[in-house]
């Protein structure tokens, strides 16, 4: 498994911005698809954004046009730039690393970082 350490969460006013970072402890970071999920109180964990090993990205409809996921393989880091934040973006944000080799799924989660948006 890969160790993932998130940072960058905090308290921000509505309309503000935050950048989350996630550093992975693996020598083959470039082979992993990386994603950000979030979980708000009383709700299920949901996918926010994903970036493939080749750099393709996908976003939840609720964050399209406001959030950007990116990766720097040389730094073993994936980022989530969050702009125009809304109160409904308040959640614990989790970093996820996934790699599939034949029938084996290698899946790891970070510990999460709290994002609170005040309205």
């Amino acid at each position: 498994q890969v160790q993932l350490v998130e940072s960058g969460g905090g308290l921000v006013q509505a309309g503000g911005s935050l950048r989350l970072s996630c550093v992975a402890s693996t020598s083959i970071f470039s082979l992993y698809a990386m994603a950000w999920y979030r979980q708000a109180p009383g709700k299920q964990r949901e996918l926010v954004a994903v970036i493939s090993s080749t750099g393709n990205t996908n976003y939840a409809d609720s964050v399209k046009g406001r959030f950007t996921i990116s990766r720097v393989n040389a730094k073993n880091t994936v980022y989530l730039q969050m702009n125009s934040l809304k109160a409904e973006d308040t959640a614990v944000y989790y970093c996820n690393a996934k790699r599939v080799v034949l029938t084996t799924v290698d899946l790891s989660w970070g510990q999460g970082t709290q994002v609170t948006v005040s309205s």
Side-chain angles (χ1 to χ4, degrees):
Q1 277 204 333
V2 178
Q3 283 195 323
L4 302 170
V5 179
E6 302 107 330
S7 62
L11 174 64
V12 64
Q13 288 189 333
S17 298
L18 281 175
R19 188 176 80 156
L20 306 183
S21 301
C22 171
V23 180
S25 63
T26 174
S27 60
I28 54 172
F29 175 76
S30 63
L31 300 183
Y32 283 83
M34 301 298 297
W36 288 96
Y37 286 73
R38 68 186 180 187
Q39 188 167 18
K43 295 189 177 180
Q44 287 189 332
R45 191 172 296 191
E46 63 175 355
L47 177 65
V48 175
V50 59
I51 184 166
S52 73
S53 59
T54 56
N56 294 321
T57 58
N58 273 297
Y59 298 90
D61 287 343
S62 59
V63 307
K64 279 181 182 176
R66 300 188 298 122
F67 290 11
T68 302
I69 189 170
S70 61
R71 64 190 298 161
V72 178
N73 289 338
K75 295 185 177 181
N76 280 16
T77 302
V78 62
Y79 301 97
L80 185 68
Q81 178 66 44
M82 306 185 294
N83 299 327
S84 303
L85 283 160
K86 306 175 181 179
E88 51 263 44
D89 295 318
T90 295
V92 178
Y93 284 70
Y94 297 91
C95 180
N96 169 275
K98 182 179 178 181
R99 180 173 172 240
V100 179
V101 180
L102 298 178
T103 59
T104 300
V105 180
D106 180 2
L107 192 66
S108 300
W109 293 93
Q111 81 287 352
T113 185
Q114 177 71 47
V115 171
T116 303
V117 184
S118 62
S119 56

